[in-house]
Amino acid sequence: MSLTLRTISREQHLAYIQSLPSASHCQVPAWADVKTEWRSENLGWFDRDGQIVGAGLVLYRQLPKIKRYLAYLPEGPVINWYAPNLDDWLQPMLAHLKQQGAFSVKMGPPVVIRRWDSAAIKSGIQDPDVKRLRDVEATHIEPRAFEVADRLRKMGWQQGEDGGAGFGDVQPRYVFQVPLANRSLEDVLKGFNQLWRRNIKKADKAGVEVVQGGYEDLAEWQRLYEITAVRDHFRPRPLSYFQRMWTVLNSEDPNRMRLYFARHNGVNLSAATMLVVGGHVWYSYGASDNIGREVRPSNAMQWRMLRDSYAMGATVYDLRGISDSLDETDHLFGLIQFKVGTGGEAVEYVGEWDFPLNKLLHKALDIYMSRR
């Protein structure tokens, strides 16, 4: 199959994404408008008949003081990763990016390598000798993903450092997902552990209501998010970031981003943002107050978001990043513990990969990043 690669319009890119069952929210054209500190470009792969068969959103970050760029395709590009001629897809991309002034390319193939169901994770947590998810035998292994990794290595790609739980600009290697395809909602609820089911009932009994918000409610979202940032010791993004995200994503598709609040006696106790691309739904950002936890607003909100995803025909509800640590003393352990209660599965991707087009500048960037 002979492939050609060229820059495409956002309209062409969006039309291609819309023709697929799903793609990462980091690969829709509007994501470029969320990441304003990067320059962007839309790439398309075409077959011999001139049909578009792949697309990629490239973000370019300029190096201080010189006109050279890091080219980044978060959770992309959207191509046939299992193609035996993977070289024919990636070589033209590297040549093009080099022409654009890139000194290094970073990409995140959306290729799943392993899955662990919640029973496997629970047994791992209970085993004192197990400290990491990768020490637990996977419930499902995708042999083709190992072939993809081998091909990339042979081409000179280098596997990046683990993105941990996906905080900051690197995409998470481990995520937690609740599969919805070919399941009834009763079945999904049955998959929840006892504590989750009890907490959902508790919230319902206490009169917690979950509502959808709009652009005008983002200031209230920000209030809860900043309380969370203080409690969990992270630097919050500004309100303008979420306002921009809402505006650009929903102008591309009116259902791309949603906002939810769980409230009790008229007071908002927790909030979340949700992203939708085709059949894939992500719980994106979450926030909660320090009060009202006893009425379990977060459980009620997740259950409502899951039901809404199901009603939309989603095939997967994605709770995003987890750390692969199963050590109860790890500060990120609570995250996996909360998510595993939904009865879903931990999913490992092949991770992010780097291709140094200019080894010297690539090394300089590594040193620069490690000092930050």
Side-chain angles (χ1 to χ4, degrees):
M1 177 169 146
S2 75
L3 293 164
T4 50
L5 173 111
R6 61 174 182 266
T7 301
I8 55 173
S9 70
R10 291 177 65 135
E11 292 69 33
Q12 281 172 295
H13 186 167
L14 182 61
Y16 179 68
I17 295 285
Q18 284 169 335
S19 75
L20 304 172
S22 181
S24 167
H25 62 272
C26 302
Q27 281 293 307
V28 300
W31 192 250
D33 301 325
V34 176
K35 299 290 172 189
T36 48
E37 68 278 24
W38 301 71
R39 174 167 75 82
S40 69
E41 186 183 21
N42 307 78
L43 295 181
W45 280 259
F46 294 83
D47 66 12
R48 207 176 265 130
D49 304 324
Q51 289 294 312
I52 186 165
V53 288
L57 174 69
V58 187
L59 302 174
Y60 293 98
R61 170 76 66 92
Q62 190 174 344
L63 266 187
K65 300 191 183 66
I66 57 169
K67 270 213 150 60
R68 299 302 290 275
Y69 302 88
L70 166 68
Y72 183 32
L73 295 97
E75 298 185 10
V78 185
I79 60 173
N80 176 10
W81 284 97
Y82 299 126
N85 60 335
L86 196 54
D87 285 46
D88 297 352
W89 291 81
L90 297 177
Q91 291 306 346
M93 180 183 87
L94 288 173
H96 173 84
L97 297 174
K98 190 171 189 169
Q99 248 180 336
Q100 295 292 307
F103 66 88
S104 187
V105 180
K106 183 186 274 297
M107 65 177 184
V111 174
V112 170
I113 200 159
R114 291 185 192 88
R115 295 176 188 272
W116 293 263
D117 64 20
S118 44
I121 300 166
K122 278 178 205 151
S123 69
I125 291 170
Q126 281 154 8
D127 184 339
D129 296 330
V130 169
K131 292 285 179 251
R132 303 210 157 269
L133 199 48
R134 64 185 76 159
D135 303 334
V136 178
E137 195 176 331
T139 323
H140 176 78
I141 288 177
E142 178 52 78
R144 293 183 308 169
F146 290 93
E147 287 167 29
V148 171
D150 279 345
R151 283 191 192 126
L152 291 174
R153 269 187 213 100
K154 284 195 180 94
M155 278 183 243
W157 288 85
Q158 301 165 1
Q159 199 159 17
E161 291 301 304
D162 269 8
F167 306 116
D169 269 338
V170 250
Q171 298 309 319
R173 179 159 181 184
Y174 295 91
V175 299
F176 202 87
Q177 298 177 345
V178 181
L180 299 176
N182 308 317
R183 294 176 76 189
S184 67
L185 259 184
E186 290 70 39
D187 180 43
V188 173
L189 185 61
K190 268 197 199 115
F192 281 37
N193 69 15
Q194 264 180 322
L195 183 64
W196 261 87
R197 291 202 300 270
R198 208 165 48 232
N199 286 344
I200 289 167
K201 270 202 188 109
K202 202 180 216 176
D204 192 40
K205 227 183 195 152
V208 171
E209 70 175 322
V210 180
V211 296
Q212 261 186 268
Y215 179 88
E216 65 288 350
D217 301 302
L218 285 168
E220 172 63 0
W221 147 264
Q222 192 71 15
R223 179 185 75 82
L224 291 168
Y225 173 62
E226 287 180 8
I227 291 171
T228 310
V230 171
R231 184 178 66 237
D232 293 348
H233 313 291
F234 65 85
R235 203 166 83 211
R237 292 190 182 275
L239 173 60
S240 58
Y241 180 82
F242 295 101
Q243 289 172 326
R244 182 168 70 241
M245 201 170 169
W246 182 275
T247 307
V248 300
L249 292 178
N250 286 338
S251 63
E252 179 174 274
D253 179 329
N255 197 32
R256 186 75 82 221
M257 180 175 175
R258 291 184 173 196
L259 177 63
Y260 286 84
F261 290 98
R263 57 173 63 144
H264 186 240
N265 297 334
V267 179
N268 292 317
L269 297 176
S270 61
T273 63
M274 176 164 128
L275 299 175
V276 184
V277 183
H280 202 126
V281 174
W282 292 265
Y283 155 57
S284 171
Y285 284 87
S288 60
D289 205 330
N290 298 326
I291 57 164
R293 296 185 146 205
E294 67 287 348
V295 293
R296 305 298 176 200
S298 293
N299 299 88
M301 185 172 64
Q302 287 295 345
W303 178 229
R304 163 73 191 271
M305 287 163 74
L306 227 150
R307 291 200 318 268
D308 285 4
S309 304
Y310 188 87
M312 277 188 261
T315 53
V316 63
Y317 180 73
D318 195 324
L319 289 133
R320 283 299 271 169
I322 51 171
S323 135
D324 83 326
S325 174
L326 297 182
D327 180 356
E328 296 187 17
T329 60
D330 190 300
H331 71 292
L332 291 170
F333 175 74
L335 203 59
I336 192 166
Q337 202 175 28
F338 177 74
K339 293 176 181 182
V340 89
T342 61
E345 53 188 23
V347 176
E348 181 190 2
Y349 285 90
V350 293
E352 294 200 315
W353 293 73
D354 297 303
F355 196 99
L357 292 164
N358 178 319
K359 292 198 165 68
L360 200 69
L361 287 176
H362 179 82
K363 188 112 187 85
L365 179 80
D366 269 359
I367 293 166
Y368 170 71
M369 294 308 280
S370 66
R371 286 185 183 152
R372 286 182 65 184

